[in-house]
Each structure stands twice: as structure tokens, then as C-alpha cells.
């Protein structure tokens, strides 16, 4: 699932593949960009901003994309078969003489002036993997609405950018607090911010995400994706329930024994 670490890795791959030589192919397969052509321009850099990708191109342009739930960028060499999905799922193609980057299932693809990037990322909080990281500002934003459930506050990219559903559940478990506990009641909330930073930093160069202290293939995550299975710490069955405002619900996983506090919705 694309989260801040996944987006950071994607930006690194795209930067290495596309910067330097001019583009020999530009194919943006969204209706409003049907006539846009970046051929002949050079990609100056590709940078992540939370879960957003910004490919800055000569001439003051930025190609902005977002992976959301299942989007991806794949990079291929000359003559290599494209394997990221069927062709009808391709939303963008950028190619140099040496590499081709193909964006699959991208829900957001837009071209804007680089000077206008704040229009799409200016609302984000401090980026856990970015040069703008500011733990004090992230904590201030999180605590601005002290009654908000912890899980919802963590997912709100306006508070701190880069946490998705996996890290939300895992962070709550590591801190031994319920995802439904109001953020203002979380003991030592600065620990939450510091641990979030450590987890994403530790995983930004890993192929497989690990949040536990035993990174075996069968022991990488504490609770995420393990409903009904024994808690790795106490053996209590892990629970799952939707969390979030209507229309924005996301699955949350937690151990009701290890994580005291509000239990969330009863199983249906």
C-alpha cells in the first residue's frame, strides 16, 4: 500500500531514471492533458511531498501525480516488457533514450507551473521524510483538535504528511493506545511523532515494510492485516473496524488487550 516510504522510494527511482537526458516520449493519458507534450524537455528532479510526486521539468513545469490506494510508477529499460498492468490502466508515459517510466492506475495526473505547486501540496503538514520536517509543528497540528480520535488525526495529511493506513494501525499498537482514543488524551504525544519519524526513516530503503522488532517474513507487522489472528504480544485476537468520517472510512486494526481505551465499533 503506498505510504510515505513507498512514495519516497518511487521518487528516487523516477529521479534516477529520468533526470539528465531529454525526454523522447511524453504520453499523458488523461483527457485534459491530451495535447500536452513534454518531448524534448529535461526532467530536472523528481521529489516526494508526503504522498504526492512532483516531477519538475524544464520550462517551469511540474507533473504532479498521486498514487492513492493502488497507483504505481514502473521503470523499464529499452525493449523491456511493461508488466505493471493492462494498457488501459496506463495514465502517463515519460521516456528518455535509456529508461521509460510508466504510471499505472494513477488517480491524479496534472501539469502545472512549478511556481504553483503550493496549490496541490501547500495544505500538507510537515513531511516525515522531507527537508521541511518539523516535529513541533506536527505536534501542534495534531493537538489542535484534542477531541479527534488518534487514528483519524494520524491519517489527516494536514497534520503530518506520509502516514497511511498501515502506519496508523502500527503506531497505535506500538504506543499501546486505542486508535479511538482522543488525541488530546494520548500520553506523551511527542513520542508518537518521534516514533512515526523513526518508522518511516527505517523503512524508506527497505523493499518490505517492517514495524516489529523481529523482521522475519512472517513477523513484519504487529496488527495491520491480521484480523482475528492472535496478537503477537498477548495472544488476544486482533480486531478490525472502519474508522473515519462518513465517506472517508478506512480499516483500522488493533489489539483490544494491549491497546486500552475506547474499543471502536462493535463487530457487525
Amino acid at each position: 500500500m503506498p505510504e510515505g516510504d513507498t512514495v519516497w522510494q518511487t521518487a528516487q527511482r523516477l529521479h534516477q531514471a529520468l533526470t539528465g537526458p531529454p525526454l523522447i516520449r511524453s504520453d499523458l493519458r488523461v483527457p485534459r492533458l491530451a495535447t500536452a507534450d513534454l518531448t524534448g524537455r529535461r526532467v530536472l528532479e523528481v521529489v516526494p511531498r508526503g504522498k504526492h510526486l512532483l516531477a519538475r521539468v524544464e520550462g517551469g513545469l511540474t507533473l504532479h501525480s498521486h498514487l492513492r490506494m493502488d497507483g504505481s510508477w514502473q521503470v523499464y529499460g529499452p525493449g523491456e516488457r511493461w508488466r505493471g498492468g493492462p494498457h488501459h490502466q496506463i495514465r502517463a508515459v515519460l521516456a528518455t533514450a535509456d529508461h521509460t517510466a510508466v504510471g499505472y492506475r494513477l488517480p491524479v495526473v496534472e501539469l502545472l507551473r512549478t511556481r504553483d505547486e503550493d496549490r496541490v501540496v501547500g495544505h500538507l503538514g510537515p513531511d516525515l521524510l522531507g527537508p521541511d520536517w518539523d516535529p513541533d509543528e506536527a505536534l501542534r497540528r495534531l493537538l489542535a483538535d484534542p477531541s479527534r480520535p488518534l487514528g483519524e488525526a494520524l491519517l489527516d495529511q494536514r497534520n503530518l504528511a506520509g502516514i497511511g493506513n498501515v502506519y496508523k494501525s502500527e503506531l497505535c499498537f506500538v504506543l499501546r493506545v486505542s486508535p479511538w482514543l482522543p488525541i488530546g488524551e494520548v500520553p506523551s504525544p511527542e513520542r508518537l511523532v518521534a516514533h512515526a519519524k523513526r518508522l518511516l526513516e527505517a523503512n524508506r530503503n527497505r523493499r518490505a515494510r517492517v514495524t516489529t522488532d523481529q523482521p522475519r517474513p512472517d513477523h513484519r507487522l504487529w496488527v495491520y492485516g491480521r484480523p482475528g489472528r492472535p496478537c503477537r504480544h498477548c495472544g488476544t485476537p486482533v480486531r478490525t473496524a472502519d474508522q473515519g468520517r462518513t465517506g472517508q472510512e478506512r480499516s483500522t486494526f488493533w489489539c483490544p488487550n494491549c491497546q486500552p481505551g475506547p474499543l471502536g465499533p462493535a463487530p457487525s
Side-chain angles (χ1 to χ4, degrees):
M1 180 174 294
E3 304 207 15
D5 51 358
T6 306
V7 176
W8 189 90
Q9 293 172 12
T10 300
Q12 300 306 302
R13 289 198 305 272
L14 292 174
H15 182 85
Q16 293 170 9
L18 296 176
T19 57
L23 295 172
I24 62 171
R25 181 177 179 183
S26 164
D27 186 1
L28 305 179
R29 301 181 183 180
V30 293
R32 64 184 175 278
L33 298 179
T35 61
D37 187 5
L38 300 176
T39 302
R41 299 176 188 255
R42 299 175 189 272
V43 176
L44 304 176
E45 61 180 344
V46 182
V47 298
R49 181 70 174 88
K51 298 183 183 183
H52 299 252
L53 285 161
L54 303 170
R56 294 167 180 156
V57 184
E58 277 184 329
L61 296 176
T62 294
L63 182 66
H64 167 233
S65 60
H66 197 296
L67 305 181
R68 294 258 173 94
M69 291 294 290
D70 62 349
S72 71
W73 278 95
Q74 304 294 327
V75 175
Y76 305 106
E80 187 177 357
R81 185 172 64 88
W82 297 0
R83 304 177 303 278
H87 279 264
H88 72 265
Q89 294 181 348
I90 295 173
R91 297 292 176 266
V93 180
L94 297 175
T96 67
D98 298 318
H99 298 97
T100 299
V102 184
Y104 292 90
R105 300 172 299 279
L106 300 175
V108 176
V109 179
E110 59 181 329
L111 195 62
L112 62 151
R113 294 288 178 186
T114 301
R115 64 173 180 263
D116 296 331
E117 285 179 359
D118 271 359
R119 180 171 62 81
V120 293
V121 296
H123 65 288
L124 298 175
D127 187 340
L128 283 153
L129 294 178
D132 71 321
W133 173 242
D134 182 339
D136 294 332
E137 175 61 15
L139 185 60
R140 185 194 69 77
R141 291 183 180 219
L142 282 168
L143 296 177
D145 184 356
S147 65
R148 193 173 190 187
L150 172 58
E152 292 183 34
L154 286 174
L155 278 186
D156 191 336
Q157 302 299 295
R158 296 170 297 182
N159 291 331
L160 65 172
I163 290 180
N165 221 31
V166 179
Y167 283 119
K168 172 197 70 176
S169 295
E170 296 294 292
L171 280 165
C172 291
F173 178 84
V174 169
L175 292 175
R176 299 295 196 266
V177 292
S178 166
W180 279 269
L181 184 70
I183 181 70
E185 298 178 24
V186 174
S188 303
E190 65 277 1
R191 291 177 53 239
L192 169 70
V193 173
H195 203 80
K197 173 69 169 174
R198 283 196 296 271
L199 275 184
L200 267 77
E201 287 276 3
N203 281 291
R204 68 179 182 179
N205 289 314
R206 286 175 173 159
R207 293 177 62 87
R209 187 177 292 131
V210 176
T211 61
T212 69
D213 52 1
Q214 300 179 36
R216 304 190 309 266
D218 62 342
H219 204 282
R220 290 184 176 131
L221 302 176
W222 289 112
V223 291
Y224 182 82
R226 305 186 67 248
R229 298 174 65 184
C231 169
R232 299 190 191 279
H233 182 72
C234 74
T236 302
V238 172
R239 282 187 55 184
T240 184
D242 286 341
Q243 183 178 27
R245 295 168 181 167
T246 303
Q248 300 178 352
E249 302 94 335
R250 300 288 298 278
S251 296
T252 292
F253 301 84
W254 82 104
C255 171
N257 182 58
C258 290
Q259 298 172 255
L263 293 179
S268 57

